[in-house]
Structures are given as structure tokens and as C-alpha cells.
Amino acid sequence: MREDWIEVELGRFCDFIGGGTPSKKNQSYWGGDIPWTSIKDLKGKFLYSSTDTISEDGLTNSASNIAEINDIILATRINPGRPIIAKIKTAINQDLKIVKPKISINSQYLYYAFLNAEKKIVKASSGTTVLGIRLDNLKGVSIPLPPLPEQRAIVSKIELLFAELDHGITSLKKAQEQLKVYRQAVLKEAFEGKITQSWREKQSNLPSAEELLEQIKTERQKHYEQQVADWEKAVKEWEAAGNEGRKPKRVSKPKAITEKNTIITTNESKIPQGWLWSNFCNVTYKIGDIDHKMPKVSQNGLPYLSTGNLKKDGTIDFTNSKTISRKDFEELSRKIKPQKGDILFPRYGTIGRNILIDFDKEFLVSYSCAIVKNITKLMNERFVYYYSISPLAHKEIKRYTVETTQANIGIASIEKFLFPLCSKYEQTQIVEAIESRLSICDRLEKDIEQSLKKAEALRQSILKQAFEGELLSEEELKTCRQAADWEPAEELLKRIQMEKTPSTKKNKTKAKAKP
């Protein structure tokens, strides 16, 4: 820190005015002309509007107060230390404070000072459910205070550097969005047969999708017959154990094969000669979910996942999963259980955030997810997976999703999804073509993520330099010292008692004033 700066506690030169919430029971207090700011409105540098509004009566009959234009509003609960500069006159709630400096200080300098001190404020906070900082602790947080001309120069330099940084970040985020569009374009072309068109033209005697569908029908029937045989064996073992006349607990006869129209005529996008349209259920062993019974938590048991454990990046978070007993696991998994080669298909909330299971592990997933049992000996499971996250599948999801409090889609609807079937040889070529293109996307996205992290680190570095007195050059400092209002920061503090101190009482005058 520079010699003509001082490190000073906030309580020495700032007053903090609190807020409050009018009674929700009195409807006349709400929906008035006065903006009412809460923690959810603290986004960005400037506050131009609030989600909620209150009336004059609501303001008068509550602990809320009015922040003036260019006042800094500071969060003291939930996200303690988050600042914003008011560009409207607004009432505030109890999670916020209006910052009222007792001395002349550049409001934007103070904003950036709070931004730089946010981690320090969080560290001084406490709370288990909700984090918050006590007023005494907030007043004890210190920030560096330079002369006024330097404050202005620092703000100008920060904003210049941040503008350049933001421009770069905007370009990076635009590139991210373009990669998302490209990914979907790759998948769209893949399931229209365009991505393998040149490969297909070079082939001779390529098996048709109709031939493959017949093989799948035979395999599905054999699989069903084996399930029935296993069920009959289980019943005999149950009866042999002295349970004759009673049904085995949670063991029911397998349902007959679900089969829609195996070959479909549709107005959907054209597909190549040799392909055909079918239903999703016709190219899988089964699409189903586990028993809807909710098992009890059992420490050190087997993982029982929900949609919350399925991450955006296509991986599964087992560390935070619920665990259940071996007994519950065995009972629930008799209906269906996820295995390597299957697809997890969330059907509530985050519908279509699908994951291909490419590992061996015992676990269950709640009925909030469908399980797609792939016929891996005849179908390329990655082909089926990429289909399930393609624009074609998204279109089917949109067609069948029920929009209620929480969007959901039924098993029977997933079974009816249109599926473009081609030979397994071509499936393999399609998967290779998709993954070749998407691997490039993965590398680019990784580079972008690293660049965004570096940009955020640079932002923090700029703030650190600014408040350690290292951001301005000697030439810029020389110009500051020539300003008419330049004086050591210590002189600012000496005038605290000489200047009029803003009242910390109710600040409710002219509440209806608009921006």
C-alpha cells in the first residue's frame, strides 16, 4: 500500500442503514409504486429495477428504508459482501444494508473496494443454514483509502481493463454457444444419414435395417423366454421352501414384449435407402423403471441415485448419492436394474440429460429415471445413446412431455419415440464420425473453460493490484497529485467529525421518487 494511503475500518467512515419486509398478510403493502430490493436483485454492478414493489403504507409499517440513487447496497446475509450501486430509489429488505459514507469518497471506488473485500466479509460471517455478517463485524472490516483523485483514476483504470476482459469473455462464451450448436448439427446429420453418405456410397451388399430388425425381434423373444424361465424357476424354489400357494415377494411374471408398429411410415426427415423408421421400444430389450417404493437410507449400503446425481457433463456423482440396504436393493432390482451398456434417461425435471453406463458397478436409480436396456450384441449402444441426446430425440421428448408443476414423460411415451434404424455396420461408422467431430469440440471447450478461469483470475488480480496501490503508473500518479482536491487520505478522516453525518434513523422520505 502506498505511503499516502491508509487502511481504515468501515465503521470509521461509513454508516449502515438496514431494511425490512412489510407483512405478507397485508396485501395493501405490496404491489405499489416503490421498488423493493432483495438479495435476488443483486446482479451486476448497477441496480435498475427490482422484482418486487411495495406501497407507501408498506414502507411506513415496516423496518424497510430507502436507498438513494448512487447509494451502494450491500448484502449482509445469504451472499454477504455482494455490492451493487443503486440507479433507482428503492426500499430494501432485511438481508441488505445501505452504505452511507461520512466523508467524500468516490462511490464506484467504494463499490470495487467491497468487491475486493467480499472474501474477507464472507470469512467474517457466520451461520449454519444461512450465512450472515453481524454489523459489528462488518464495521471491523478494513479497506485501503487513497486520496480522491487516485480513487477516480483507479476506477477509470479498473473499468478500462474490465471492459477489455469482458469483451474477451463475451467472445469466449459466444464460442461456447457455437460449439453447442455445432454438436447438435453433428447429431442431426448423423441420424439423417448425411454424416456417412460418402461411406455408404462405397459399400456393396450392405445389410438393410429390415434384416437387422428381424434379428432384433428374434433376440427380444429369446430374452423374454429366458426371463419367463427364470421366473418359473424362482416360483418353484419359493414353493419348495414351504411357501406353496403364496406368491414370491416382489417377483411377478415378466410382462409380454412391448412391440409397436415395427416399421413406420412417417413424414419425419428423409432417411437413406436401406434405413427404416421404428419405435424406440422395438430396438431395445426393455425401457422401464424400478419399483416406485421409496427405500430407507442405509449407511454403507449400495448407491440409490436420483436425477440430481446425473451431472451435466455426462458423469454420475456417486459421492453424494443415497445408499440403501442389500435387501432393498435385491427386491427393487428384480423389476429392472441398470447395467453396463444401458442408458439412464431422466424423465422428470432435467428430461433427456441421458447417460450411457460404460462401467461395471452395482447401483440403482429411482423411478425418476427410465432405464434403456440395450441389445448390445445387435445394436451399438453408443449409437443408441447419441440418438437419445440428438435433436430428433429432443423433438420426441417435446412431443410427449407433460407440463405440470414438474415436467415429466412416461415410459410408454419413451417407447413410442421414432427411431431411425440402420445396419450395425453403419451404426459403428456413425459413432466413429460423431466422436471424431465431438472430440474436437471437447478439446475446444476445455480450452475455453481454462481461458474463462484465467479471465476470472485476471479480474481478481486487477482488483488486488488496484487496492495494493500497484495499478497506476508513476505518470498517472503524478497527474493525480496535480489535481486541485488531492490530499493524503489521512486528511479525509480528520474531517469525519467536522462534516455532517447522515442519519441512521428511518430514511423514508420521498419514497415514491422514480429513477
Side-chain angles (χ1 to χ4, degrees):
M1 191 170 70
R2 305 188 66 83
E3 291 180 1
D4 48 5
W5 290 29
I6 58 169
E7 186 87 13
V8 59
E9 293 180 348
L10 291 169
R12 288 187 64 191
F13 70 98
C14 288
D15 284 326
F16 296 92
I17 300 173
T21 302
S23 172
K24 298 282 187 179
K25 295 179 181 178
N26 193 328
Q27 292 301 309
S28 69
Y29 290 170
W30 295 89
D33 297 328
I34 305 169
W36 182 78
T37 298
S38 62
I39 192 72
K40 62 189 173 187
D41 299 309
L42 270 61
K43 298 173 183 175
K45 182 179 178 181
F46 296 113
L47 177 73
Y48 293 103
S49 63
S50 64
T51 306
D52 302 298
T53 60
I54 60 174
S55 65
E56 285 281 7
D57 284 345
L59 179 66
T60 303
N61 292 285
S62 72
S64 188
N65 282 288
I66 294 290
E68 302 293 331
I69 293 174
N70 289 329
D71 276 351
I72 289 178
I73 299 171
L74 186 72
T76 52
R77 293 182 73 246
I78 304 175
N79 295 113
R82 178 176 295 178
I84 198 165
I85 301 174
K87 287 300 177 183
I88 53 171
K89 286 191 174 184
T90 177
I92 63 168
N93 83 343
Q94 65 276 6
D95 298 329
L96 312 175
K97 291 283 188 294
I98 303 165
V99 183
K100 291 289 187 181
K102 303 174 187 178
I103 58 174
S104 295
I105 188 169
N106 184 286
S107 62
Q108 294 200 51
Y109 174 86
L110 191 54
Y111 164 80
Y112 285 119
F114 277 121
L115 208 60
N116 185 60
E118 191 169 349
K119 288 183 180 178
K120 194 187 294 187
I121 292 172
V122 169
K123 191 174 181 180
S125 301
S126 59
T128 51
T129 307
V130 178
L131 196 63
I133 186 166
R134 294 167 57 88
L135 187 55
D136 287 345
N137 291 341
L138 178 61
K139 287 181 176 180
V141 173
S142 62
I143 66 167
L145 198 62
L148 274 169
E150 287 189 42
Q151 293 178 27
R152 294 192 295 268
I154 287 169
V155 168
S156 296
K157 193 72 172 280
I158 287 174
E159 302 216 316
L160 175 64
L161 295 172
F162 276 15
E164 293 173 355
L165 202 56
D166 289 339
H167 178 73
I169 289 171
T170 299
S171 298
L172 288 169
K173 289 185 175 179
K174 184 179 179 181
Q176 273 185 325
E177 292 305 313
Q178 289 172 335
L179 284 174
K180 288 178 184 177
V181 173
Y182 175 72
R183 281 179 178 277
Q184 289 303 300
V186 168
L187 293 173
K188 181 176 184 294
E189 289 195 351
F191 294 95
E192 290 175 351
K194 294 177 182 177
I195 207 169
T196 46
Q197 182 176 340
S198 61
W199 173 87
R200 196 168 48 251
E201 290 170 353
K202 297 173 184 177
Q203 307 306 308
S204 59
N205 300 320
L206 192 64
S208 70
E210 197 165 348
E211 293 174 79
L212 175 59
L213 190 59
E214 284 301 315
Q215 293 172 357
I216 291 171
K217 285 171 69 175
T218 301
E219 174 60 28
R220 293 181 78 217
Q221 182 62 35
K222 284 170 58 179
H223 181 73
Y224 170 70
E225 290 170 359
Q226 183 60 53
Q227 284 187 313
V228 172
D230 291 343
W231 173 79
E232 289 174 345
K233 181 181 178 183
V235 170
K236 288 179 181 178
E237 289 175 350
W238 178 265
E239 291 174 346
N243 297 298
E244 190 171 352
R246 297 168 60 194
K247 289 184 178 181
K249 189 177 180 182
R250 294 195 179 277
V251 179
S252 55
K253 185 174 182 177
K255 292 182 180 179
I257 296 173
T258 302
E259 194 167 283
K260 310 294 180 187
N261 297 325
T262 52
I263 301 177
I264 300 171
T265 302
T266 176
N267 293 325
E268 191 55 61
S269 303
K270 289 184 179 179
I271 52 177
Q273 187 176 1
W275 290 36
L276 61 79
W277 288 107
S278 191
N279 293 114
F280 201 4
C281 65
N282 295 333
V283 297
T284 63
Y285 281 128
K286 181 179 182 180
I287 300 173
D289 57 8
I290 69 167
D291 196 300
H292 288 207
K293 172 193 172 184
M294 190 59 69
K296 294 179 181 179
V297 174
S298 175
Q299 296 298 323
N300 301 317
L302 294 159
Y304 181 87
L305 308 177
S306 67
T307 54
N309 298 111
L310 309 185
K311 298 167 70 177
K312 287 182 180 179
D313 63 1
T315 60
I316 298 174
D317 178 15
F318 283 102
T319 58
N320 295 311
S321 68
K322 178 179 177 179
T323 53
I324 62 174
S325 68
R326 169 62 70 175
K327 181 181 178 183
D328 282 339
F329 178 89
E330 296 294 345
E331 287 187 3
L332 290 168
S333 64
R334 284 185 179 125
K335 182 180 176 186
I336 193 171
K337 67 178 177 180
Q339 294 171 306
K340 186 176 181 179
D342 295 344
I343 295 167
L344 301 182
F345 193 125
R347 58 190 196 88
Y348 285 88
T350 53
I351 299 172
R353 187 186 287 178
N354 303 340
I355 289 178
L356 175 67
I357 305 171
D358 57 2
F359 54 86
D360 288 307
K361 185 180 177 71
E362 282 192 310
F363 71 95
L364 288 183
V365 62
S366 77
Y367 60 85
S368 60
C369 284
I371 299 170
V372 179
K373 304 293 291 183
N374 277 316
I375 307 173
T376 54
K377 64 173 70 175
L378 295 173
M379 293 287 293
N380 186 308
E381 64 267 31
R382 299 195 73 78
F383 177 83
V384 182
Y385 165 70
Y386 285 125
Y387 157 78
S388 78
I389 61 171
S390 72
L392 175 58
H394 288 164
K395 187 175 180 180
E396 295 295 287
I397 289 169
K398 189 174 181 181
R399 179 188 300 182
Y400 291 108
T401 295
V402 178
E403 296 288 350
T404 56
T405 306
Q406 186 182 40
N408 65 89
I409 189 168
I411 297 293
S413 295
I414 299 173
E415 290 177 336
K416 288 188 287 187
F417 282 10
L418 287 174
F419 189 95
L421 185 64
C422 61
S423 71
K424 191 174 182 181
Y425 296 103
E426 189 161 0
Q427 291 176 28
T428 301
Q429 291 298 317
I430 288 171
V431 168
E432 288 177 1
I434 288 173
E435 294 185 342
S436 172
R437 289 159 174 78
L438 296 192
S439 65
I440 296 171
C441 289
D442 290 340
R443 289 197 297 272
L444 289 173
E445 284 183 341
K446 195 171 183 180
D447 290 343
I448 289 171
E449 284 294 333
Q450 289 176 347
S451 295
L452 286 170
K453 287 178 182 177
K454 287 178 182 177
E456 186 54 38
L458 181 55
R459 190 187 302 277
Q460 296 304 314
S461 176
I462 290 168
L463 286 174
K464 184 174 182 289
Q465 288 180 61
F467 293 96
E468 288 179 352
E470 297 175 359
L471 193 61
L472 301 180
S473 67
E474 284 301 322
E475 190 64 31
E476 289 167 327
L477 287 169
K478 184 178 178 181
T479 302
C480 290
R481 294 191 190 101
Q482 292 171 354
D485 58 348
W486 188 92
E487 61 182 351
E490 188 64 48
E491 295 299 318
L492 292 174
L493 287 176
K494 287 179 181 177
R495 293 202 303 273
I496 288 178
Q497 300 304 323
M498 297 170 61
E499 296 188 7
K500 184 178 179 180
T501 301
S503 172
T504 57
K505 294 181 180 179
K506 291 289 183 180
N507 186 34
K508 300 192 175 189
T509 58
K510 299 182 181 178
K512 284 188 177 180
K514 289 288 185 174

